[in-house]
Amino acid sequence: MVIDVKDLYEKVNELMGKDIILQGWIRNHRKQKEFGFIDFSDGTCFQHVQIVYDEKLNNFSDIQKIHVGSAIEVVGTVVESPKEGQAFEIQAKEVTLLGECPEDYPIQPKRHTREFLREVAYLRPRTNLFQAVFRVRSVAAYAIHKYFQDRGYIYFHAPLITASDCEGAGEMFHVTCMDLDNIPKKDGSVDYSKDMFMKPTSLTVSGQLEAETFALAYKKTYTFGPTFRAERSNTKVHANEFWMIEPEIAFCDLNQNMEIMEEMLKYVVSYVLEHCKDEMHFFDQFVEKGLLEKLTKLVNSKFTRVTHKEVIEILQKADVKWEFEPKQGEDIAKEHEKYITEYFDGPVFITDWPKDIKAFYMKQNPDGATVAAVDLEVPGAGEIMGGSQREEDYQKLVSRMDELDMDQSELDWYINLRKFGGCVHSGFGMGFERLLIYLTGVENIRDVIPYPRTPGNCDF
Amino acid sequence: MVIDVKDLYEKVNELMGKDIILQGWIRNHRKQKEFGFIDFSDGTCFQHVQIVYDEKLNNFSDIQKIHVGSAIEVVGTVVESPKEGQAFEIQAKEVTLLGECPEDYPIQPKRHTREFLREVAYLRPRTNLFQAVFRVRSVAAYAIHKYFQDRGYIYFHAPLITASDCEGAGEMFHVTCMDLDNIPKKDGSVDYSKDMFMKPTSLTVSGQLEAETFALAYKKTYTFGPTFRAERSNTKVHANEFWMIEPEIAFCDLNQNMEIMEEMLKYVVSYVLEHCKDEMHFFDQFVEKGLLEKLTKLVNSKFTRVTHKEVIEILQKADVKWEFEPKQGEDIAKEHEKYITEYFDGPVFITDWPKDIKAFYMKQNPDGATVAAVDLEVPGAGEIMGGSQREEDYQKLVSRMDELDMDQSELDWYINLRKFGGCVHSGFGMGFERLLIYLTGVENIRDVIPYPRTPGNCDF
């Protein structure tokens, strides 16, 4: 019976002295004259297993020729290890080669640069770093689902192909079936009647507006799906394709929204700390010193709430030479985010933003100048989530769209939500990769997405 | 303290005689001279709550004017209901209008056709049918995650934008940033160097090939994400955008693959039966008579395994006048699928398909004519999943690609998986909406996707 390494670690006491079968890959192979050590992994957990074999095996010399990266099957006995800090090892009775690997295999047991590993992205999950990153990605994704499902939220699959640039959140990718070499035209411009949907379509930048329709039917809903930005930003934190989580909650104001943001973030961080102990220790040791302390502190802190106006006042009073001068009514810069989280020594909700720098759907405050928006700033990462109470007043929403010269016919369904049993409701968005960067300490978005899409890069 | 209707049903015994606050929507409103009945839902569960109010309330006449669809807040006492089959009702102390709804609101408490409801898709989750459908969608999605996560699978986010038509599974949508009105050209053809990724890109039809790279690093992985087909098929079961689940497992042959397919399907069906009792009873009663019996039978059955060759023999011996004559070496039709599941009186795995009608990556059997592929046919729905052992032999894979005249440079990474520690591995794919059609009895794919994309339709 083949056993997963994960289960082996969990049941090692009862398996001690017993024979087991393992199937997996050689991560390192140290050969000596009369015996050899195989550093073995089957990918089911972060930890490897040491396989010891000796010359009593009749294929001893063949085993010694097996290269790093090869797939093998091992029949062996679980025995106590003489090596300190290692609970057990496997004394091999049989080692069988299942799939060989050439000597020039790119993933050797040595340090590779992350840039090099991006070029062989299809092999990088076989390294410790990426093995850990993508397991944390998987576990964090599950934690998010679990948080919302346990609380009765409906998982909503927002459409990816869309006919409207709803949020105006950025440049969009066009989606078409037409032959690009020979675009059908009519009266000099593109004849969209020939395209699949008979109108121009793009890839969505947000599922929020559609999610609101579900909030007003189910009270609590969330999206978790891919979104796209056709921006030519070559930074560490921008990708053209990334995953977003966008909860929407009816009968929920900005304060209740912040409660949920805080509770959810703490839940997901705690879940990952508990379920990815080895991976998180690895990041703490080799990627970002102090990571565990940072995350544990977050989980145990009470998030501060402060208005944008107060933030600007604090920044203006600060004895700091700013690159960008903080000004009332304007956005804040990275340096300001950093200062504010240090000033409050923890996560900070900044609320009530100037309406002109925020989206049309945010609830207008009575002051006429700000909206009931919130950004969550966390130490070491800056903004990690953003949300708002949504404008529930039909007339105010329409007026704001008029001011911004937005086409209302395209969004009539969205506006109608305010007419057909509308209510106070709120929501927020979290970029999944931003969260992963924060959780792992891996700072480049290209290293937390299995196959990242960035300007000029669409491999695999 | 506001309580969700879901929690109210769960805690009704301890709440009996106590005051509560509810926030939600009026689904129906029956008015009599001295009192009124509000059929109330907050979307947190399928069940509604009856609110009773009488003329003692000082805004009695205002309450009577509130239309169906409006959002209200109710303060009231949980009391035993005189109505048979109804455990409790709420005797209102206060009813407050939160968001009104006009009299011409499209969703009235009467039967609407599904065609009409597609036109107001943003409101249809407020009807019983769609409230049930999209909750089952959410719960089934979670059941799938839970099944795989509990068993140590890594959730893999396959890239959506891709530069290769890997599977050849169908027509693809182009993705571009270029101005369609003015496509940049060079030497007469499209100048892709001007596009975001500097080459032609499309929306993926499958994440399988990329998922295999994760199977060979983590042993067990699964995708659950959107996929796209640019087909102009106007059928009940085709959409241009839909969600797929694609597990891939290393050290797993076709037989083990079938074990997993069977176990997973039974798990998800059982989970939904257990967690969506009211919804499933509704479908059984109003959408597909016998649905619960069909699903319960599936969960308790042992799936039959039979080869494609045997299936053709059975079909040829059958005393049936076929529309399509069954032939060795050829695909089977809907009528054949139906006959076979009836013949075996349950779900049937059909294995070892003619290689010419299956994909290039499937493992070639020693007979030279068939591949280690499997389709799962279930009574009442036909094919619900398909999978295969993947060709692990480098040379055989390359030869097959040569035969099919496939460009290997584009898939060098995929082919290399067979060179760098390759092993027996298998996987399968399940269309999420196919599963939902099977689970709910709702037969049109447009009615199990919140905002479906089909030829000519890209609304909301």
Side-chain angles (χ1 to χ4, degrees):
Chain A
M1 186 66 184
V2 178
I3 186 169
D4 286 354
V5 170
K6 181 174 193 284
D7 297 329
L8 175 56
Y9 271 93
E10 281 167 15
K11 297 175 195 162
V12 65
N13 288 333
E14 59 185 273
L15 289 169
M16 196 59 78
K18 301 218 170 75
D19 283 2
I20 57 163
I21 306 175
L22 295 172
Q23 294 176 329
W25 295 274
I26 299 182
R27 297 293 180 224
N28 200 354
H29 193 171
R30 286 177 297 126
K31 301 151 204 173
Q32 304 206 355
K33 208 174 161 204
E34 290 154 11
F35 47 88
F37 299 100
I38 292 170
D39 182 25
F40 176 94
S41 164
D42 71 355
T44 59
C45 65
F46 187 71
Q47 286 173 291
H48 296 187
V49 170
Q50 171 150 284
I51 314 280
V52 187
Y53 63 91
D54 62 30
E55 57 179 348
K56 280 177 235 148
L57 301 189
N58 55 24
N59 63 340
F60 177 74
S61 61
D62 290 336
I63 300 172
Q64 291 230 318
K65 286 178 204 136
I66 306 179
H67 297 132
V68 164
S70 301
I72 57 170
E73 178 174 287
V74 178
V75 181
T77 314
V78 184
V79 297
E80 285 184 20
S81 172
K83 200 169 143 190
E84 213 181 330
Q86 188 174 279
F88 68 94
E89 60 188 30
I90 306 299
Q91 182 66 49
K93 291 182 163 177
E94 291 171 33
V95 176
T96 313
L97 178 64
L98 299 180
E100 58 188 6
C101 194
E103 231 168 340
D104 62 354
Y105 176 53
I107 307 293
Q108 291 298 323
K110 60 162 194 170
R111 208 187 160 282
H112 299 283
T113 67
R114 294 190 197 166
E115 290 73 20
F116 167 74
L117 290 171
R118 277 177 218 145
E119 289 168 26
V120 290
Y122 72 111
L123 300 174
R124 65 183 179 166
R126 304 175 182 197
T127 65
N128 282 337
L129 175 64
F130 289 97
Q131 175 83 201
V133 166
F134 296 125
R135 182 171 290 104
V136 166
R137 187 177 172 108
S138 171
V139 171
Y142 186 58
I144 289 163
H145 280 299
K146 189 164 162 52
Y147 174 83
F148 288 114
Q149 295 268 348
D150 284 351
R151 284 154 188 79
Y153 287 67
I154 295 293
Y155 179 27
F156 166 67
H157 285 148
L160 282 290
I161 301 176
T162 177
S164 65
D165 175 2
C166 300
E167 212 193 346
E171 295 283 317
M172 298 174 88
F173 284 102
H174 308 299
V175 174
T176 179
C177 290
M178 298 184 291
D179 179 2
L180 296 187
D181 263 309
N182 191 14
I183 297 265
K185 302 246 175 164
K186 198 179 168 184
D187 305 331
S189 49
V190 180
D191 180 6
Y192 284 104
S193 75
K194 298 285 193 302
D195 209 352
M196 181 65 78
F197 303 108
M198 302 170 74
K199 53 185 167 186
T201 52
S202 315
L203 288 175
T204 190
V205 294
S206 163
Q208 179 205 313
L209 303 196
E210 288 88 356
E212 284 185 46
T213 68
F214 263 50
L216 291 177
Y218 290 103
K219 187 169 177 176
K220 296 179 277 190
T221 189
Y222 70 106
T223 74
F224 190 171
T227 48
F228 305 86
R229 294 276 194 290
E231 279 164 19
R232 293 179 194 265
S233 314
N234 257 312
T235 79
K236 283 183 178 180
V237 293
H238 288 92
N240 296 119
E241 176 180 321
F242 54 98
W243 285 60
M244 287 257 285
I245 297 100
E246 298 184 288
E248 286 291 324
I249 309 102
F251 308 107
C252 172
D253 64 16
L254 190 68
N255 282 315
Q256 293 165 303
N257 201 33
M258 286 188 272
E259 300 288 347
I260 298 166
M261 291 166 82
E262 180 169 341
E263 187 188 60
M264 187 210 64
L265 182 60
K266 287 176 175 176
Y267 179 91
V268 175
V269 171
S270 302
Y271 191 95
V272 169
L273 286 173
E274 190 188 329
H275 289 83
C276 297
K277 284 202 175 75
D278 296 325
E279 290 81 357
M280 296 308 286
H281 274 106
F282 175 83
F283 295 135
D284 188 58
Q285 216 177 337
F286 297 109
V287 179
E288 180 184 327
K289 300 269 181 223
L291 178 76
L292 291 176
E293 197 191 327
K294 173 186 91 176
L295 296 174
T296 307
K297 195 173 167 190
L298 175 107
V299 168
N300 295 315
S301 63
K302 176 74 193 137
F303 296 7
T304 304
R305 297 181 186 189
V306 57
T307 65
H308 176 272
K309 185 157 177 278
E310 290 163 334
V311 164
I312 299 292
E313 284 162 8
I314 291 165
L315 294 171
Q316 286 173 337
K317 278 182 205 147
D319 186 20
V320 177
K321 178 89 193 105
W322 300 114
E323 193 185 339
F324 301 95
E325 210 51 52
K327 283 194 192 123
Q328 290 295 353
E330 292 190 6
D331 207 351
I332 62 173
K334 273 273 154 210
E335 56 179 337
H336 307 143
E337 295 179 357
K338 189 165 181 292
Y339 181 87
I340 282 296
T341 55
E342 282 164 7
Y343 180 89
F344 288 107
D345 191 26
V348 182
F349 285 115
I350 305 178
T351 64
D352 303 296
W353 289 71
K355 79 172 179 184
D356 290 333
I357 60 169
K358 290 288 184 183
F360 75 97
Y361 50 71
M362 295 185 175
K363 182 172 178 56
Q364 296 161 46
N365 285 330
D367 65 11
T370 62
V371 286
V374 60
D375 279 3
L376 174 61
E377 312 283 345
V378 294
E383 188 199 334
I384 198 165
M385 293 189 228
S388 77
Q389 191 170 323
R390 314 312 187 188
E391 182 57 79
E392 74 267 12
D393 186 289
Y394 182 89
Q395 208 46 60
K396 281 190 186 156
L397 181 66
V398 167
S399 306
R400 184 68 183 142
M401 291 176 78
D402 279 340
E403 273 173 35
L404 296 170
D405 206 19
M406 289 177 67
D407 180 6
Q408 288 168 33
S409 64
E410 225 181 41
L411 287 177
D412 57 346
W413 55 272
Y414 181 72
I415 301 168
N416 278 348
L417 292 178
R418 281 72 188 160
K419 204 163 75 179
F420 298 149
C423 65
V424 170
H425 65 289
S426 300
F428 59 95
M430 178 169 73
F432 186 48
E433 285 78 11
R434 291 277 170 100
L435 174 71
L436 292 173
I437 287 171
Y438 181 66
L439 279 173
T440 61
V442 170
E443 54 193 0
N444 196 312
I445 197 167
R446 291 163 182 79
D447 296 328
V448 297
I449 301 178
Y451 298 106
R453 272 72 179 104
T454 55
N457 293 302
C458 187
D459 299 324
F460 308 102
Chain B
M1 185 66 183
V2 178
I3 186 169
D4 286 354
V5 171
K6 181 173 193 283
D7 297 330
L8 174 56
Y9 271 93
E10 281 167 14
K11 296 175 196 162
V12 66
N13 288 332
E14 60 186 273
L15 288 169
M16 196 60 77
K18 300 218 170 77
D19 283 0
I20 57 163
I21 306 174
L22 295 172
Q23 294 176 330
W25 297 273
I26 300 182
R27 298 292 180 224
N28 201 354
H29 194 171
R30 286 177 298 127
K31 300 150 204 173
Q32 305 204 356
K33 207 175 161 203
E34 289 154 9
F35 46 90
F37 300 99
I38 291 170
D39 182 24
F40 175 93
S41 163
D42 71 355
T44 59
C45 67
F46 187 70
Q47 286 174 293
H48 296 187
V49 170
Q50 171 150 286
I51 315 281
V52 186
Y53 63 92
D54 61 31
E55 56 179 350
K56 280 176 238 150
L57 301 189
N58 54 23
N59 62 340
F60 177 75
S61 62
D62 290 336
I63 299 173
Q64 291 231 318
K65 288 179 203 134
I66 305 179
H67 296 131
V68 163
S70 301
I72 57 170
E73 178 174 285
V74 177
V75 182
T77 314
V78 184
V79 296
E80 285 185 22
S81 173
K83 199 170 144 190
E84 213 182 328
Q86 187 176 279
F88 68 94
E89 60 188 29
I90 306 299
Q91 183 66 50
K93 293 182 163 178
E94 291 171 33
V95 176
T96 313
L97 177 64
L98 299 180
E100 57 187 6
C101 194
E103 231 170 337
D104 62 353
Y105 176 52
I107 308 293
Q108 292 299 322
K110 60 163 194 167
R111 210 188 159 279
H112 299 283
T113 68
R114 294 191 197 166
E115 289 72 20
F116 167 73
L117 290 171
R118 276 176 219 145
E119 288 167 26
V120 289
Y122 74 110
L123 299 175
R124 63 182 179 168
R126 304 175 183 198
T127 65
N128 281 336
L129 175 64
F130 289 98
Q131 174 85 197
V133 165
F134 296 125
R135 181 171 291 106
V136 165
R137 187 176 172 110
S138 171
V139 170
Y142 186 58
I144 289 163
H145 280 298
K146 188 164 163 54
Y147 174 84
F148 288 115
Q149 295 269 346
D150 284 351
R151 285 153 188 80
Y153 286 67
I154 295 293
Y155 179 26
F156 166 68
H157 285 148
L160 282 290
I161 300 175
T162 176
S164 65
D165 175 3
C166 299
E167 211 193 345
E171 295 283 317
M172 297 173 89
F173 284 102
H174 309 297
V175 174
T176 180
C177 290
M178 298 183 293
D179 178 3
L180 297 186
D181 263 309
N182 191 14
I183 296 266
K185 302 246 176 164
K186 199 178 166 183
D187 306 332
S189 49
V190 179
D191 181 5
Y192 284 104
S193 75
K194 297 284 191 301
D195 209 352
M196 181 65 78
F197 303 109
M198 302 170 75
K199 54 184 167 186
T201 51
S202 317
L203 287 175
T204 190
V205 293
S206 162
Q208 178 205 313
L209 304 195
E210 289 88 356
E212 284 184 45
T213 68
F214 263 50
L216 292 176
Y218 290 102
K219 188 168 176 176
K220 295 178 278 192
T221 189
Y222 71 107
T223 73
F224 190 171
T227 48
F228 305 86
R229 295 276 194 291
E231 280 166 17
R232 293 179 194 265
S233 314
N234 258 312
T235 78
K236 283 185 178 178
V237 292
H238 288 91
N240 296 119
E241 176 179 320
F242 54 97
W243 286 60
M244 287 257 286
I245 297 101
E246 298 184 288
E248 286 290 326
I249 309 103
F251 308 108
C252 173
D253 64 16
L254 190 67
N255 282 315
Q256 293 165 304
N257 200 34
M258 286 187 273
E259 300 287 348
I260 298 165
M261 292 165 82
E262 181 169 342
E263 188 188 59
M264 187 210 64
L265 182 60
K266 287 177 175 175
Y267 179 90
V268 174
V269 172
S270 303
Y271 191 95
V272 170
L273 286 173
E274 191 188 327
H275 290 84
C276 297
K277 284 202 177 74
D278 296 324
E279 290 81 357
M280 297 307 286
H281 274 106
F282 175 84
F283 296 135
D284 189 57
Q285 216 177 338
F286 297 108
V287 180
E288 180 184 327
K289 299 268 179 224
L291 179 77
L292 290 177
E293 196 191 327
K294 173 186 90 176
L295 296 175
T296 308
K297 195 173 167 190
L298 176 108
V299 168
N300 295 314
S301 65
K302 176 73 194 140
F303 296 8
T304 303
R305 298 181 186 189
V306 57
T307 65
H308 176 271
K309 186 158 177 279
E310 290 163 333
V311 164
I312 299 291
E313 284 163 8
I314 291 165
L315 294 171
Q316 287 173 335
K317 277 183 206 149
D319 185 21
V320 177
K321 179 87 194 108
W322 299 115
E323 193 185 339
F324 300 96
E325 210 50 53
K327 282 193 193 128
Q328 289 295 353
E330 292 189 7
D331 206 351
I332 62 173
K334 273 274 157 209
E335 56 179 336
H336 306 142
E337 295 179 358
K338 189 164 182 293
Y339 182 86
I340 284 295
T341 55
E342 283 164 7
Y343 181 89
F344 288 107
D345 191 26
V348 182
F349 284 118
I350 304 179
T351 65
D352 303 296
W353 289 72
K355 80 172 178 184
D356 291 332
I357 59 170
K358 289 289 184 182
F360 76 95
Y361 50 71
M362 295 186 176
K363 183 169 176 62
Q364 296 161 47
N365 284 330
D367 65 11
T370 62
V371 287
V374 60
D375 279 4
L376 175 60
E377 312 283 346
V378 293
E383 189 198 332
I384 198 165
M385 293 189 226
S388 77
Q389 191 169 323
R390 314 311 188 189
E391 183 57 79
E392 74 267 12
D393 186 289
Y394 182 90
Q395 208 47 60
K396 281 189 186 156
L397 180 67
V398 167
S399 305
R400 185 66 184 143
M401 291 176 79
D402 280 339
E403 274 173 34
L404 297 170
D405 207 19
M406 289 177 67
D407 180 7
Q408 288 167 33
S409 64
E410 225 181 41
L411 286 176
D412 57 345
W413 56 273
Y414 181 73
I415 301 169
N416 278 349
L417 292 178
R418 281 71 188 161
K419 203 163 77 180
F420 297 149
C423 65
V424 171
H425 65 289
S426 300
F428 59 96
M430 178 169 72
F432 187 48
E433 285 78 11
R434 290 280 170 99
L435 174 71
L436 292 174
I437 287 170
Y438 181 66
L439 279 173
T440 61
V442 169
E443 54 194 359
N444 196 312
I445 197 168
R446 289 163 183 78
D447 296 329
V448 297
I449 301 178
Y451 297 106
R453 273 70 179 104
T454 55
N457 294 301
C458 187
D459 299 323
F460 307 101

